[in-house]
Amino acid sequence: NGEQGKPFPLTETDRVDQAYRENGFNIYISDQISLNRSLPDIRHANCKQKLYAEKLPNTSIIIPFHNEGWSSLLRTVHSVLNRSPPQLIAEVILVDDFSDKG
């Protein structure tokens, strides 16, 4: 196929392989995972026992990305917002580092 400018049909396997090459992970599966998923607490045991000052300054969270799959990027933003005390977040800034895919 491909004649007269018609698209060449890709098999499902071809699409999965292409998506994996472009993202470095299976974007199809990533798109199926909830944006609001639960995660285990993987901190070191000593970190779990650490006590922090009650009054901490707020902060800006900067997330740079380049040609990132949207589902993984959105899941990152959801994780930041869901797992950070709201009073500590001044802003969340997404910085597109010259992505070239639409």
Side-chain angles (χ1 to χ4, degrees), residues 61-65 70 73-74 76-77 92-97:
I61 299 167
I62 302 169
I63 304 170
F65 65 95
W70 281 113
L73 182 59
L74 289 173
T76 298
V77 173
V92 177
I93 302 170
L94 301 176
V95 179
D96 185 344
D97 192 12

Side-chain angles (χ1 to χ4, degrees), residues 35 63 71-81:
L35 297 179
I63 304 170
S71 57
S72 61
L73 182 59
L74 289 173
R75 209 168 12 264
T76 298
V77 173
H78 277 259
S79 290
V80 165
L81 295 174

Side-chain angles (χ1 to χ4, degrees), residues 18 28 31 46 58 93 95:
Q18 179 183 9
Y28 175 78
D31 290 346
N46 292 342
N58 64 14
I93 302 170
V95 179

